[in-house]
Amino acid sequence: MNNDRKKITIFLSVLLTIIVVIGTSYALWRLTYLQDDNNLVKSGCFKINYSDKNSIDLSEAYPIEDKVGQKLIPYEFTLTNICDSMASYNINLEVLNDTSVDYAKFIKVQFEDKSPQLLNVYEVVTPTLSNAVKSYSLGNGVLEFNQSLTFYLRLWIDEDASIENAYEKIFNSKITVSTSYVPNIDDSEVDESNENLLYNIVKNQAVLDNKSSAFVTSDTGINFGEAPSDTNGEGVYTIASTKDYRYPVHYFR
């Protein structure tokens, strides 16, 4: 009996010794690694400068013909991309909340060298100003590296406006410009001879959006104030103002 107890005591002693050795071995072989270099996240340059002059102030205005309105001194503003990355831009005319009702039916707009149009012809978009009741898209495009573009806007009361529409009305608005970064396209990634490349497929199908085409009956192009249709643009189009860029901007309507 005493021999059996000794065997049990010796066995337990050996077992405890093994457990201690295993625990010690784990502690000795646990490794910790520390990073030598810093993690770095660095953004590129993205900045657009905006300058303007000749704000429009037509106090006591009255309806005039388009040929007269086109001679008015325009509101002039310039966008300058001062970085080496491309930037898209959207130019909106935002109507402020102290404007009279029915303004869009008798305000004539000439943006750039486009034909004068009533304001309600332009596409309605989401306002960016907190005190704006409605916003109209005048145009969009892309600024190339270090490129500068100047725009001109004229506003007047349409000659066909009735006395009820024009008498003692107030039209108050501001130009807003939204810009976004456009990733640079590596020329090596665009094989213009490869007709199966997605970019080339889109490019070959796109038509300019400022002229008549298969699904656009108007000679002045798509009317963005109306829904897409088989007479007002359905398919792939190129933003006309970007047609001479290295990579014009295409979109699906």
Side-chain angles (χ1 to χ4, degrees), residues 152-172:
Y152 303 92
L153 172 69
R154 292 177 174 86
L155 301 173
W156 63 89
I157 301 175
D158 182 48
E159 62 177 320
D160 293 330
S162 64
I163 295 178
E164 292 77 12
N165 284 334
Y167 184 67
E168 292 188 343
K169 300 291 185 180
I170 296 176
F171 177 77
N172 201 359

Side-chain angles (χ1 to χ4, degrees), residues 9 193 209 218 223 231:
T9 303
S193 64
D209 59 4
S218 173
N223 178 359
T231 59

